[in-house]
Amino acid sequence: GLLGGSFCWRFNLPELAARRTVYAVDMAGLGLSDAPPHTDCSMQAQAMRLGSFIHDLRLGPVDIVASSWGGAVALFLAANSAHVRSLTLAAPVNPWSAFGRERIASFSGRLAGFLLPRFLPFSRRFQRPYLERMYGDPKRIPPGTLEGYAELITRRGRGHNLVSILRGWQNDIDGLRAAIPRVKAPTLLIWGSQDLAVDPASAEALQRALPGSELAVMPGVGHLPFEESPAKFNRLVLEFLAKTN
């Protein structure tokens, strides 16, 4: 997801890796993967990089599990690659969710491009309220979560990478409209009913646009179901993979 990384999947990787070969990929400019300030970190550019990674390591066909912004990257990848066998997407960014659209537009301007790289390294005091907003119940935030995300968000150069993502956002959303009908891989959509980042109401529209896809809604859960309710999330993923391959 946006400003996330493999750290986000710390409660999922052990159980999935007990049954599958798992690669936890930190995309360029995210997680622990640093990137120069002028790197194109848009969704479409990241999908091309991920496709090259899969091709170069001869991994395909692969089952992709992704979240939010990363879910949109996965949709672009599946639309343009025969290497994707299935998709499990937790609240993927999509054209039918208007949540945060104006805020993202405001952060894509020249002033934000100047301020964000200077603000992020000193943003720790503001991160707790944002993290709580990502959970259906903030009491379920595991110990060490805030510290783990803070390490990713305040990395050197992360502000420039974020600006690149935001400046390409609208173009990527427009591109998703054209890409989604080309996705043929079986897809499981997982949404928390209390998601305040990607509108749960957009789930059904996305499901209709992906014929044969499945939708699982997790009551009382927010934008990070794999963190907030990992046991149930893992079960949904493994049951879906058992059916599809």
Side-chain angles (χ1 to χ4, degrees):
L2 188 64
L3 292 177
S6 55
F7 166 80
C8 309
W9 303 94
R10 62 201 181 280
F11 303 121
N12 318 105
L13 291 173
E15 186 163 348
L16 298 179
R19 295 163 174 80
R20 302 279 176 143
T21 299
V22 175
Y23 290 80
V25 181
D26 282 356
M27 304 303 297
L30 295 168
L32 299 177
S33 180
D34 297 326
H38 299 295
T39 302
D40 183 354
C41 294
S42 65
M43 301 173 193
Q44 295 178 72
Q46 300 283 23
M48 291 180 64
R49 290 190 187 98
L50 187 55
S52 296
F53 174 82
I54 294 168
H55 177 269
D56 292 347
L57 271 65
R58 299 180 180 179
L59 301 179
V62 298
D63 303 296
I64 303 289
V65 182
S67 167
S68 192
W69 174 89
V73 172
L75 285 167
F76 275 119
L77 175 65
N80 297 304
S81 173
H83 295 303
V84 178
R85 180 169 49 197
S86 74
L87 294 171
T88 299
L89 307 178
V93 167
N94 66 81
W96 297 279
S97 175
F99 282 11
R101 189 172 296 171
E102 293 181 0
R103 184 168 59 253
I104 289 170
S106 68
F107 278 110
S108 62
R110 183 173 298 178
L111 180 60
F114 175 80
L115 294 176
L116 273 177
R118 291 159 177 80
F119 168 74
L120 277 192
F122 307 98
S123 63
R124 288 178 184 261
R125 71 177 63 181
F126 304 103
Q127 291 171 15
R128 178 78 193 190
Y130 178 80
L131 179 62
E132 290 182 351
R133 182 177 169 83
M134 294 296 102
Y135 275 68
D137 182 358
K139 295 178 181 177
R140 291 200 286 256
I141 298 176
T145 299
L146 183 62
E147 294 78 8
Y149 277 106
E151 180 184 358
L152 308 184
I153 293 170
T154 58
R155 288 182 71 84
R156 184 178 179 87
R158 193 52 34 98
H160 293 287
N161 304 141
L162 178 59
V163 169
S164 175
I165 292 172
L166 296 177
R167 285 181 173 169
W169 194 278
Q170 189 55 54
N171 183 60
D172 283 331
I173 293 298
D174 293 340
L176 273 177
R177 292 185 182 275
I180 287 172
R182 301 199 304 271
V183 175
K184 305 304 179 185
T187 302
L188 171 63
L189 304 173
I190 301 177
W191 241 279
S193 66
Q194 303 304 309
D195 194 329
L196 297 179
V198 181
D199 190 355
S202 69
E204 293 185 2
L206 180 57
Q207 184 185 18
R208 288 193 297 270
L210 294 167
S213 60
E214 302 177 26
L215 173 62
V217 177
M218 297 175 63
V221 174
H223 187 56
L224 309 174
F226 44 90
E227 276 192 1
E228 189 169 357
S229 186
K232 182 175 182 180
F233 183 89
N234 293 340
R235 177 175 57 78
L236 289 171
V237 173
L238 291 169
E239 287 177 353
F240 174 69
L241 292 179
K243 288 191 302 183
T244 55
N245 56 81

